[in-house]
Amino acid sequence: MKYNINNLYFAKCRHCIMDIINVTDNEGHIMSPHPNYVDYYTILLLKDDRYINIYNKGLRYKNISQVDNNKEHYGEDLIIEICSLTDYINTGYKKISTKECELIDDTIQKTKSLKLEYGYKK
């Protein structure tokens, strides 16, 4: 499938989960379950005022600025940072494929030295 580049965005996202492994907080109190998260980078399609992951059409996103407390949104995916894909590619192309998006995604991550982060948000 080909996507219009004007509707594609490179985004840093967070998937919030509940971790049932016992850990302790700064005062030594056991926290179980406790909030946990996974940060990842992906390319999103803006369609009908909603962001959709081009690699997994079932994922829907909320912007972190629209969420009161992101620790309460377990199982959801939040957008932390987002920018137009046209900032990174030649705008002479009008449409690109999913495979081309994968290559662009990989290149951006390597260029910006972006890393996946895991762990309890402090």
Side-chain angles (χ1 to χ4, degrees):
M1 178 173 199
K2 293 267 188 179
Y3 299 99
N4 183 334
I5 62 167
N6 294 321
N7 297 335
L8 294 174
Y9 296 84
F10 181 74
K12 178 180 181 181
C13 302
R14 175 168 291 160
H15 181 74
C16 300
I17 56 176
M18 263 313 232
D19 194 342
I20 59 171
I21 298 172
N22 288 338
V23 296
T24 56
D25 63 11
N26 294 340
E27 288 85 36
H29 301 104
I30 293 177
M31 299 171 44
S32 180
H34 64 278
N36 211 340
Y37 67 93
V38 177
D39 283 354
Y40 62 95
Y41 300 89
T42 191
I43 295 178
L44 303 176
L45 171 68
L46 180 61
K47 182 177 182 181
D48 301 327
D49 294 327
R50 301 180 97 183
Y51 290 102
I52 302 166
N53 190 314
I54 64 166
Y55 308 118
N56 182 349
K57 306 273 190 273
L59 291 179
R60 299 293 188 267
Y61 292 82
K62 291 183 180 178
N63 197 315
I64 202 162
S65 64
Q66 299 169 337
V67 175
D68 293 333
N69 182 358
N70 65 19
K71 291 181 182 178
E72 297 176 0
H73 292 273
Y74 307 116
E76 294 183 338
D77 290 86
L78 305 174
I79 299 170
I80 298 174
E81 298 173 20
I82 192 164
C83 56
S84 176
L85 202 60
T86 58
D87 294 347
Y88 298 98
I89 63 174
N90 183 347
T91 55
Y93 299 102
K94 300 297 179 203
K95 293 186 179 263
I96 57 176
S97 69
T98 304
K99 184 64 178 170
E100 289 169 312
C101 286
E102 289 173 6
L103 294 171
I104 292 166
D105 186 15
D106 187 53
T107 303
I108 293 170
Q109 288 187 47
K110 287 179 181 173
T111 302
K112 296 183 90 177
S113 299
L114 302 174
K115 295 178 181 146
L116 295 178
E117 298 174 13
Y118 304 91
Y120 179 64
K121 183 178 178 189
K122 296 183 179 179

